[in-house]
Amino acid sequence: MRIVLLGAPGSGKGTQSQLLVKTYGVPQISTGDLLREAVSKGTELGVRAKSAMDAGKLVDDVIVLGMIRERLAQSDAAKGFILDGFPRNIAQAEALESMLLGLSKPLEAVVLLNLDLGILFKRLTGRRTCQVCGQVFNIFTSPPDTAAHRAKCGHDPVLIQRPDDKEEVIGKRLEVYDAQTKPLIKYYTTAGLLRVVDADAPMATVFESIQRAVEPQIA
Ligand code: AP5
C-alpha cells in the first residue's frame, strides 16, 4: 500500500492512518508528528519549524522534504506507507513524485477526506491527546473513559491540547489549507489518483469507505 491521506486539518487523517497501520501493517508517515517530535526534542530542525507551526503556517519545504526523504529510506517503508499530512502544496507533490519515481514505487491512490468547515472546527477545538501514551480523544465526539483507559494503558488519561488547536490558530491553518493544499485535489485528479471519501461519519464507517476506495488500487 502506497497512499496519501489528503484533507483539511481535523478531517481525520491521523485517526484513519492508525486504523490503516493496524490492518495493512505499513507505517504511517506523518510530517506533523515528525515535526512535533523534533520540536519537543529541541533539535535544530525543531527550533526552525516551531514558529511556523505555532502560527498555523506551513514549515519550509526544504525542511519537510529532507525529513520525508530520510523517512522513506528507512527499511519499514520498503513495504509501503501511508503519507499523512504530506504533500501539502504542489511543490511537495512534485518532489514526492520524483522521489518515488527514483525508488520505482509510485503512489497507488490519494484519498481525500471530505468534511464541512463547521465540523472541522469542532473536531479541532475538541481534540485532546493523552500526554503519557499519545492516544487521541475528542471531548465532544470520543471523550476518554478513565476506567477503560487505565485497564488498557495502565495509567489515567492526562489530556493536553495541541498549541495549534487554539481557536485563533485554527483559522489560519484552514486558510493555509484552502490556499496551498486544496490545489492538490486538481493535481491528483488529473493524475487519476484521487479518491474522495465522506469523512462525516463514525470512524469505522469512514475506514470502510477508505478500504473500498483503495483496495482495487493497492498491490
Ligand atoms: P499536522 O499534524 O499534519 O496537522 P493537520 O493536517 O492540521 O491535521 P490534524 O493532525 O490537525 O488533523 P487530522 O486530519 O489528523 O485529524 P485527527 O485524526 O487528529 O500538521 C501540524 C502542523 O505541522 C502544520 O500546521 C504545519 O505547520 C506543519 N506541517 C505538517 N506537515 C507539513 C508539511 N507537509 N509541510 C509543511 N508543514 C507541515 O482528528 C481530529 C479530531 O477529530 C480528533 O479529536 C479525533 O478523535 C476526532 N475524529 C476523527 N475522526 C472522527 C470521526 N469520524 N468522527 C468523530 N470524531 C472524529
Side-chain angles (χ1 to χ4, degrees), residues 56-78:
K57 296 178 185 166
L58 293 188
V59 172
D60 195 284
D61 285 349
V62 174
I63 295 181
V64 174
L65 289 171
M67 246 171 38
I68 282 286
R69 199 169 285 116
E70 213 173 275
R71 185 62 189 86
L72 284 174
Q74 288 173 21
S75 59
D76 62 340

Side-chain angles (χ1 to χ4, degrees), residues 7 10 92 135 173:
Q92 291 183 8
Q135 190 172 339
R173 287 165 66 201

Side-chain angles (χ1 to χ4, degrees), residues 10 13-15 31 36 57 88 92 127 137-138 173 201:
K13 303 181 295 296
T15 303
T31 39
R36 277 185 290 279
K57 296 178 185 166
R88 248 171 153 103
Q92 291 183 8
R127 174 168 51 193
F137 298 97
N138 193 288
R173 287 165 66 201

Side-chain angles (χ1 to χ4, degrees), residues 8-15 31-33 35-36 52-53 56-59 64 84-86 88 92 123-124 127 136-138 141-142 162 164 173 199 201-203 206:
S11 55
K13 303 181 295 296
T15 303
T31 39
D33 287 347
L35 287 164
R36 277 185 290 279
M53 294 176 80
K57 296 178 185 166
L58 293 188
V59 172
V64 174
D84 159 11
F86 176 89
R88 248 171 153 103
Q92 291 183 8
R123 287 201 186 167
L124 289 169
R127 174 168 51 193
V136 177
F137 298 97
N138 193 288
T141 59
S142 51
R162 257 170 57 176
D164 60 347
R173 287 165 66 201
M203 292 171 194
V206 177

Side-chain angles (χ1 to χ4, degrees), residues 78-154:
K79 59 187 173 189
F81 48 78
I82 301 145
L83 290 170
D84 159 11
F86 176 89
R88 248 171 153 103
N89 58 29
I90 299 285
Q92 291 183 8
E94 288 172 347
L96 174 67
E97 201 175 330
S98 60
M99 254 183 249
L100 294 180
L101 200 67
L103 298 168
S104 302
K105 290 189 181 300
L107 283 178
E108 293 164 327
V110 174
V111 179
L112 172 67
L113 297 177
N114 210 20
L115 199 59
D116 283 353
L117 196 66
I119 306 171
L120 289 171
F121 203 79
K122 195 171 170 192
R123 287 201 186 167
L124 289 169
T125 51
R127 174 168 51 193
R128 298 292 183 275
T129 307
C130 176
Q131 197 174 19
V132 183
C133 63
Q135 190 172 339
V136 177
F137 298 97
N138 193 288
I139 53 173
F140 304 122
T141 59
S142 51
D145 171 337
T146 303
H149 192 80
R150 200 181 295 139
K152 183 178 152 211
C153 300

